Amino acid sequence: MTASHGVTSAVGARAATGRADEALIRVEDLWHTYMAGTPFAQAALRGVTMYVCPGEVVGVIGHTGSGKSTLIQYLNGLLRPSRGRVVVAGYEVGRSNSGIEAVRRLVGVAFQDPEDQVFEPLVGDDVAYGPRQLGLAVDELRARVRWAMEAVGLPFDAFKDRYTYTLSGGELRRTALAGVLAMRPRVLVLDEPTAGLDPVTRSDVRERLLTLCRRDGLTLVLVSHDMDEIAGLADRVYVLHAGAVVASGPPREVFARPDALAPYGLLPPYPTQVCMRLRARGIPVRGDALTIEEAGAAIAAALRATR
Amino acid sequence: MNEFELLRNITIGQYLPADSYLHRLDPRAKILAAILVIAAVTFTPSLVGNACLLAAALALVRVGRIPLAYALRGLVPAVPLLVLLAVMQLLFFGRNYDPTSSVVFQWRWLAVTIVVTAAVLKLVVVSAARFIELLLVTSVFTLSTKTTELTLGIESLLRPFRRLRVPAHELALVVTIAVRFVPTLALEAERLMKAQASRGGRFGGGRWHFVTRVRQLLPILVPLVTYALRRGEELIVAMEARAYTGGTGRTAYTVLASGPGDWLAVCIAAAFLAAMLLAPFPA
Amino acid sequence: MQDAGRGALSIRGIVISAVLAAVAILLGATRVGFIPTPTGIAATIMHVPAIIGGVLEGPVVGAIIGTIFGVYSFFYATVPMFKDPIVAIAPRIFIGIFAAWTYWSLRRMSELWAIVLAAIVGTATNTVLVLGFGVARHYLPAKVAWVVGITHGIPEVVVAVILSVAVLLPWKRAHRGQARARV
């Protein structure tokens, strides 16, 4: 699709990250106020500008209350801009309803709480909800459901007849993900995709998402409060604070200047912090490590050099 | 611009703060008085009686220090319905409704005959007046009463009926939990609708697409009711875990105290009801 | 169910009444409970929580839900016929009671049919009593009531049956049943 499509490792530096002019999603100077016009008015977004290119992994980082969840709802037209613009694949999201379904089909959103998304009693029926709305034939429907369930690690035959309320937290989240994937979106927006999962499930889900991204050219938007989670995965990150983008760019650049993030109560990922502290103590470690693996390699290299 | 924000449309406990006799009234007295006044409106068929009631309802709005336009908000959307009601009564009731009444107007065209009698005319006026009176009385009540006062009042009023095995405290608790639960449920409904819209779900559609609308609604309603029941089960466990044992021997944080001013309201309302029921109004 | 013979309400009875009454209020307040029909008069499903409550917890709970729903709809009604306590409140009390009795007398034969008939009886109670009191209070001529009863009563029954079955069967089977996905 684009230069960034064939990326195989999130760790290795990318030759080309997305450019604004080829963006699949473009958000321009977006403002949002809850309960506008009442004494309870509360600004959630204040002039957010961002873009997402095909095949990219984009991270959105921010604390609770930073406007992340509001922003997500604009990406697939659940909210319509009253100030600012949202353009998805050339279609400008506006007041009109025409074309909004195409936007929602193009951009799949998995919300934070899987409980709100999984509503059918049986897993198979729930995953089939989206494609069924598209009016697919039974064979194709079944094939899609099977593909989506297998993609998130839920064996079709073993899980399709399971009651959703008997699922574990991890299985429920996978079901919610499969339900969105079954729509075959080009962009997948994930709100805290691995929150509340155990470490094994977390890395499994993360691996599967990356596979989808590499193999099927899926574009990912990861939204999280957890720097460590996003740092190793994203090509570019946006740091959101109080409804405004306060920093953006490749994670290595953004986290290279911890002083710029400190005022917003945000710290670089732990591996980056460790390397920076070592440097501060005069040990010649590369300061731009983002993951534990990178930090390990950097420290090993530094040890070899000093020896 | 938001097609999913349900909370905004909910009008429950639309308390309008003000310092008035009605706002200060003991909720028990206010509930009793409201019931008496509503009964008076409901059972008064005469024109003169309804004129008195309309005046009384307007006086209540004044005493409650509620802007008249605010109390009558519900009237504007109801005007077409009132017209429809009047047209229906004029067209269909005719001589069947009180055959002894004199004919005021008669119109015949081919096989169609429309007869309007004096009794039907009176019915039209009384129906419309009754609607406006009840609209005013219920608006004044909801605008001047907090939901907490309401549940306290209900519990207190039902207490004497405990001897008849009416669970006063429990019934008040039902109302309290229900009122508290509505916003939670609205948020859940909003989340469900958004999650489904994200997965190609569609809502709305015109009145001609009844079946389609029902099919769109079921994936919202079924999980919503199930969610309510599931939350209910959790609440049951939580209440049992805290050894909730019902009303006997429970103390309350707020204790209602009523003075002579409160019971005056009940007396006036009772006198009004008696007058409406017993007075020999000519029409 | 255990409360029907006693005076007191159990914690379960209190909570289930409350959450289902809240559903009824929400359906009324957000207009979600009104389904527009070609005749211009909306079909309503706000009585379904009373049916569900009656089936799950018996007539007392059903009556409480119906009463709360009735009082709420009376206070916030903007339709002349429903701004009359006799039309708005009285019929609603009986929805859950009749639904519960129907369910109780039939459940030994078939869970499914007991729920279906409870929904039919509950809905019919609402339709017949509301229209009956509407005629008695001269809001409607009897002929119009018959027409409305048929054009709206039937779709309301169908929707109420589907909704009650869809909620109650999985809920009742929650810890034992077997089912298969449609794919």
Side-chain angles (χ1 to χ4, degrees):
Chain A
M1 233 175 275
T2 66
S4 57
H5 176 206
V7 165
T8 51
S9 163
V11 174
R14 293 207 171 179
T17 51
R19 297 203 322 273
D21 53 347
E22 58 191 26
L24 198 53
I25 300 179
R26 208 161 56 233
V27 175
E28 285 167 15
D29 192 29
L30 184 63
W31 293 70
H32 183 90
T33 306
Y34 281 106
M35 317 261 310
T38 72
F40 310 105
Q42 173 114 33
L45 294 178
R46 296 186 290 184
V48 169
T49 297
M50 68 176 283
Y51 61 94
V52 179
C53 292
E56 258 192 316
V57 179
V58 172
V60 177
I61 303 172
H63 286 307
T64 42
S66 61
K68 290 175 297 178
S69 299
T70 309
L71 180 60
I72 286 175
Q73 292 177 37
Y74 276 102
L75 299 183
N76 76 337
L78 285 177
L79 294 175
R80 319 288 184 85
S82 49
R83 188 171 163 196
R85 292 176 75 205
V86 176
V87 183
V88 177
Y91 172 82
E92 172 148 11
V93 178
R95 282 167 198 282
S96 147
N97 262 326
S98 68
I100 200 77
E101 281 172 24
V103 168
R104 289 186 188 149
R105 211 174 303 158
L106 206 69
V107 183
V109 177
F111 291 98
Q112 194 166 342
D113 192 352
E115 299 237 330
D116 297 326
Q117 295 174 76
V118 178
F119 51 87
E120 293 270 5
L122 297 172
V123 173
D125 285 340
D126 191 81
V127 177
Y129 173 85
R132 189 173 275 136
Q133 302 286 322
L134 305 177
L136 299 179
V138 178
D139 291 349
E140 206 188 332
L141 185 66
R142 179 191 288 261
R144 275 226 196 167
V145 172
R146 182 186 289 274
W147 170 80
M149 284 175 67
E150 307 275 350
V152 297
L154 292 174
F156 179 72
D157 296 309
F159 275 90
K160 78 177 171 72
D161 297 324
R162 287 273 301 272
Y163 280 106
T164 45
Y165 52 78
T166 62
L167 298 176
S168 71
E171 289 162 348
L172 199 61
R173 193 173 289 265
R174 287 174 202 257
T175 305
L177 260 178
V180 179
L181 273 180
M183 295 290 287
R184 287 270 191 186
R186 278 181 69 197
V187 184
L188 185 58
V189 182
L190 302 159
D191 194 356
E192 305 281 0
T194 60
L197 296 183
D198 62 81
V200 177
T201 314
R202 180 184 293 226
S203 67
D204 181 61
V205 168
R206 182 195 290 226
E207 275 310 307
R208 287 176 185 280
L209 289 174
L210 275 180
T211 309
L212 282 167
C213 188
R214 283 178 223 140
R215 197 186 58 198
D216 304 292
L218 190 70
T219 305
L220 282 181
V221 178
L222 302 174
V223 181
S224 179
H225 69 282
D226 186 351
M227 300 277 170
D228 295 57
E229 162 146 31
I230 284 188
L233 290 171
D235 301 315
R236 288 187 302 114
V237 297
Y238 290 91
V239 179
L240 214 54
H241 180 81
V245 174
V246 292
S248 67
R252 222 171 286 282
E253 288 174 20
V254 170
F255 297 130
R257 291 176 292 113
D259 304 343
L261 294 179
Y264 308 113
L266 295 166
L267 294 171
Y270 284 114
T272 317
Q273 288 186 48
V274 168
C275 292
M276 283 175 170
R277 291 210 190 148
L278 288 172
R279 276 175 73 87
R281 296 195 175 189
I283 301 165
V285 180
R286 280 181 53 183
D288 61 353
L290 293 175
T291 61
I292 292 178
E293 290 79 13
E294 284 183 23
I299 293 167
L303 284 174
R304 249 178 270 122
T306 47
R307 202 178 286 151
Chain B
M1 178 78 226
N2 191 333
E3 50 197 301
F4 304 108
E5 267 180 27
L6 295 171
L7 272 176
R8 198 174 291 185
N9 303 324
I10 293 181
T11 49
I12 179 166
Q14 37 182 204
Y15 182 70
L16 188 73
D19 185 33
S20 80
Y21 172 67
L22 291 184
H23 283 76
R24 285 191 305 265
L25 204 56
D26 184 295
R28 289 169 293 188
K30 192 152 48 176
I31 294 169
L32 274 182
I35 292 172
L36 293 169
V37 171
I38 288 168
V41 176
T42 309
F43 297 109
T44 302
S46 66
L47 285 172
V48 179
N50 272 285
C52 299
L53 283 165
L54 193 59
L58 290 168
L60 277 179
V61 175
R62 194 62 193 271
V63 173
R65 294 197 183 164
I66 288 157
L68 185 61
Y70 203 72
L72 279 173
R73 267 169 7 277
L75 190 58
V76 177
V79 166
L81 295 165
L82 277 173
V83 172
L84 183 77
L85 175 68
V87 168
M88 209 159 57
Q89 288 171 331
L90 289 174
L91 286 184
F92 289 100
F93 280 133
R95 248 185 229 111
N96 296 333
Y97 177 76
D98 192 2
T100 58
S101 177
S102 57
V103 174
V104 181
F105 172 85
Q106 191 159 2
W107 185 74
R108 180 171 297 166
W109 184 70
L110 300 179
V112 184
T113 312
I114 292 168
V115 179
V116 176
T117 63
V120 171
L121 276 183
K122 186 181 142 194
L123 176 70
V124 168
V125 175
V126 169
S127 303
R130 183 192 289 152
F131 174 69
I132 296 171
E133 289 149 20
L134 285 172
L135 194 70
L136 289 172
V137 173
T138 52
S139 292
V140 168
F141 184 83
T142 51
L143 290 170
S144 68
T145 314
K146 292 181 195 155
T147 46
T148 46
E149 291 177 341
L150 185 67
T151 50
L152 274 174
I154 291 172
E155 179 177 358
S156 181
L157 282 176
L158 288 174
R159 212 172 284 151
F161 295 96
R162 290 206 93 118
R163 296 228 180 112
L164 305 172
R165 308 173 94 192
V166 174
H169 173 76
E170 284 81 354
L171 288 175
L173 190 59
V174 170
V175 177
T176 311
I177 298 174
V179 168
R180 289 281 168 81
F181 193 57
V182 170
T184 315
L185 207 55
L187 271 180
E188 176 64 15
E190 201 179 308
R191 283 194 290 257
L192 278 166
M193 289 172 86
K194 282 180 174 172
Q196 291 185 13
S198 303
R199 290 166 65 186
R202 275 163 288 212
F203 309 104
R207 59 178 46 173
W208 298 100
H209 304 95
F210 182 77
V211 176
T212 323
R213 284 193 66 119
V214 171
R215 282 175 57 177
Q216 293 163 355
L217 219 51
L218 284 175
I220 298 291
L221 288 177
V222 175
L224 191 66
V225 178
T226 312
Y227 170 86
L229 290 174
R230 218 169 47 217
R231 285 294 301 265
E233 295 290 339
E234 286 165 17
L235 186 56
I236 291 167
V237 172
M239 285 170 72
E240 279 172 348
R242 289 176 203 176
Y244 172 83
T245 51
T248 20
R250 260 179 103 81
T251 52
Y253 180 66
T254 320
V255 179
L256 293 176
S258 54
D262 298 312
W263 301 109
L264 180 67
V266 181
C267 293
I268 294 172
F272 216 89
L273 174 62
M276 286 299 135
L277 294 180
L278 301 175
F281 290 124
Chain C
M1 281 164 232
Q2 60 271 36
D3 306 313
R6 292 195 283 126
L9 257 177
S10 68
I11 294 181
R12 167 166 295 272
I14 296 170
V15 172
I16 298 296
S17 304
V19 293
L20 288 173
V23 173
I25 292 174
L26 181 77
L27 293 180
T30 57
R31 314 289 302 167
V32 172
F34 300 90
I35 308 172
T37 68
T39 58
I41 311 169
T44 169
I45 45 169
M46 289 178 293
H47 62 286
V48 175
I51 295 173
I52 292 175
V55 168
L56 282 178
E57 301 296 328
V60 175
V61 167
I64 294 173
I65 298 168
T67 310
I68 294 179
F69 155 51
V71 171
Y72 176 84
S73 71
F74 165 67
F75 267 91
Y76 292 95
T78 52
V79 179
M81 187 167 112
F82 291 100
K83 203 72 187 175
D84 185 319
I86 294 174
V87 180
I89 302 174
R92 272 65 189 262
I93 300 171
F94 299 99
I95 301 169
I97 299 178
F98 291 159
W101 284 345
T102 309
Y103 174 76
W104 275 1
S105 51
L106 294 172
R107 78 179 147 180
R108 268 173 226 288
M109 291 159 62
S110 155
E111 185 79 43
L112 173 68
W113 285 104
I115 294 173
V116 168
L117 281 162
I120 294 173
V121 169
T123 309
T125 306
N126 186 41
T127 311
V128 170
L129 288 184
V130 165
L131 291 174
F133 283 124
V135 170
R137 296 281 290 169
H138 305 297
Y139 291 103
L140 287 174
K143 284 181 221 155
V144 175
W146 277 109
V147 174
V148 173
I150 291 164
T151 58
H152 288 75
I154 291 170
E156 280 180 13
V157 164
V158 173
V159 178
V161 167
I162 295 174
L163 187 55
S164 307
V165 170
V167 170
L168 285 169
L169 264 196
W171 185 257
K172 293 225 165 211
R173 284 182 182 165
H175 304 292
R176 55 189 161 90
Q178 284 292 315
R180 288 180 58 80
R182 285 169 281 164
V183 288

